[in-house]
C-alpha cells in the first residue's frame, strides 16, 4: 500500500512513519506549518524523512492558522501544566485542524497516485480532540470517497486510533523509531518542559510500557505530581 504519512514531527507520527516504511510503501511525509508555537517539531519531521530516505513536504497554512484563533498552540494563550486528560487542556484545541490537514493530504495523495493517507491519531486524543475520534475518521473516509469518486480510491489509515501512547511507543520501538529525535512539547522551548499535557503524557507512556525515555525534560518529575492530582 503506497502511503503518504501526515507527520508533525511528534513521537506518534514519526513512529507511524517507521511502521509504514516497514510494513507498506512509504511514499513520503507531509507536514503543516499552521503557525504553531512548537514549530520546531517540523525539523524533526525533516530528520525522519532523511533517515527513511523519502520526500518531505511542508505545507504553509499559516494564514489559515491565524484565523483559527483562541488556541494555546497558535495564540498568545498560556499552555497549561497538567495531565493531558484534564479538562483545561481543551485550550490546546485548534478547531478543525485535522479535517483541514487531511483534506489537503488526500488531494496530494490523489495527485501522486498514492493508495492511502496515514495519520497518527490515537486513543489518548479522544477526550480532548473531536477530530481524532473513530467517528470522525469514519465520516472523513466517507466524505473523501464521495469527493474523489471516479478519480481515486484512497484509504485513511489510522492504525493507532484505539491504542494508547504506551502502545505506540512499543510499536515504534519494534520498528526502530528514534524517540530522541521526536518533539512533543507544546511550549516549543529548547528542551521539553516536562509540565505541559503532552510532555506529561509522553513521560507517563514511557513509564507504562517500560521503555527507556531518552527525552531531555526541564522538569522530569512533574508528571508524578500531575498523576497524583488526578488520583491516578
Amino acid at each position: 500500500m503506497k502511503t503518504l504519512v501526515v507527520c508533525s514531527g511528534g513521537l506518534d507520527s514519526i513512529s507511524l512513519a517507521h511502521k509504514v516504511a516497514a510494513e507498506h510503501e512509504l511514499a513520503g511525509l507531509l507536514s503543516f506549518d499552521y503557525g504553531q508555537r512548537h514549530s520546531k517539531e517540523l525539523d524533526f519531521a525533516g530528520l525522519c524523512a532523511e533517515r527513511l530516505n523519502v520526500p518531505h513536504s511542508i505545507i504553509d497554512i499559516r494564514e489559515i492558522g491565524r484565523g483559527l484563533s483562541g488556541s494555546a498552540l497558535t495564540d498568545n494563550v498560556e499552555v497549561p501544566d497538567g495531565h493531558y486528560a484534564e479538562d483545561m487542556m481543551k485550550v490546546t484545541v485548534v478547531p478543525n485542524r485535522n479535517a483541514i490537514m487531511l483534506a489537503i493530504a488526500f488531494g496530494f495523495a490523489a495527485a501522486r497516485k498514492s493508495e492511502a493517507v496515514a495519520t497518527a491519531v490515537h486513543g489518548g486524543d479522544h477526550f480532548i480532540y473531536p477530530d481524532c475520534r473513530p467517528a470522525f475518521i469514519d465520516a472523513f473516509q466517507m466524505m473523501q470517497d464521495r469527493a474523489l469518486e471516479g478519480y481515486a480510491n484512497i484509504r485513511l489509515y489510522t492504525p493507532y486510533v484505539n491504542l494508547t501512547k504506551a502502545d505506540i511507543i512499543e510499536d515504534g520501538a519494534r520498528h526502530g523509531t528514534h524517540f530522541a529525535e521526536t518533539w512533543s512539547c507544546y511550549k516549543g522551548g529548547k528542551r521539553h518542559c516536562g509540565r505541559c499535557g503532552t510532555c506529561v503524557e509522553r513521560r507517563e507512556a514511557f513509564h507504562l510500557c517500560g521503555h527507556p525515555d531518552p527525552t531531555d525534560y526541564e522538569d522530569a518529575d512533574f508528571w508524578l505530581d500531575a498523576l497524583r492530582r488526578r488520583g491516578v
Side-chain angles (χ1 to χ4, degrees):
M1 187 167 63
K2 185 179 179 183
T3 304
L4 181 66
V5 173
V6 177
C7 184
S8 67
L11 185 153
D12 307 327
S13 61
I14 287 183
S15 294
L16 178 59
H18 280 262
K19 179 183 184 68
V20 170
E23 299 178 353
H24 301 282
E25 179 186 350
L26 179 59
L29 305 185
L30 190 64
S31 302
F32 293 88
D33 182 351
Y34 58 93
Q36 62 269 47
R37 68 170 69 194
H38 55 301
S39 60
K40 65 183 297 178
E41 65 181 357
L42 299 175
D43 295 333
F44 290 92
L47 288 174
C48 180
E50 290 178 14
R51 192 163 56 246
L52 296 176
N53 194 30
V54 294
H56 178 222
S57 301
I58 299 177
I59 310 304
D60 185 349
I61 56 169
R62 285 176 292 177
E63 189 61 37
I64 295 174
R66 279 190 282 271
L68 306 178
S69 58
S71 172
L73 302 192
T74 56
D75 283 5
N76 188 25
V77 176
E78 186 177 357
V79 176
D81 295 338
H83 196 277
Y84 197 69
E86 292 185 48
D87 193 67
M88 64 181 175
M89 293 300 163
K90 290 182 179 179
V91 74
T92 63
V93 171
V94 179
N96 226 32
R97 177 179 60 177
N98 278 355
I100 292 166
M101 293 179 182
L102 286 173
I104 294 171
F106 265 72
F108 269 65
R112 298 178 183 183
K113 310 302 181 186
S114 293
E115 298 167 283
V117 169
T119 185
V121 296
H122 64 87
D125 291 331
H126 297 175
F127 176 75
I128 304 173
Y129 304 118
D131 57 359
C132 293
R133 297 170 187 159
F136 166 80
I137 298 302
D138 293 343
F140 191 89
Q141 180 71 71
M142 185 179 298
M143 182 267 288
Q144 284 299 311
D145 289 345
R146 300 288 80 77
L148 294 171
E149 190 170 9
Y151 183 80
N153 182 18
I154 299 172
R155 175 187 174 191
L156 180 52
Y157 181 50
T158 57
Y160 298 153
V161 69
N162 290 310
L163 301 185
T164 68
K165 191 106 172 174
D167 294 329
I168 293 173
I169 292 171
E170 290 180 350
D171 188 68
R174 280 194 296 272
H175 296 108
T177 301
H178 294 219
F179 295 120
E181 295 181 2
T182 66
W183 185 264
S184 297
C185 184
Y186 280 159
K187 296 185 181 180
K190 292 183 179 180
R191 303 160 65 196
H192 281 76
C193 74
R195 301 178 64 91
C196 71
T198 189
C199 276
V200 169
E201 182 200 35
R202 180 184 177 111
R203 183 70 183 86
E204 180 187 14
F206 274 106
H207 170 76
L208 289 173
C209 73
H211 193 282
D213 186 353
T215 313
D216 180 22
Y217 299 100
E218 290 183 10
D219 189 341
D221 296 324
F222 175 80
W223 71 284
L224 293 169
D225 293 331
L227 290 183
R228 279 193 289 268
R229 286 203 303 271
R230 291 192 67 235
V232 177

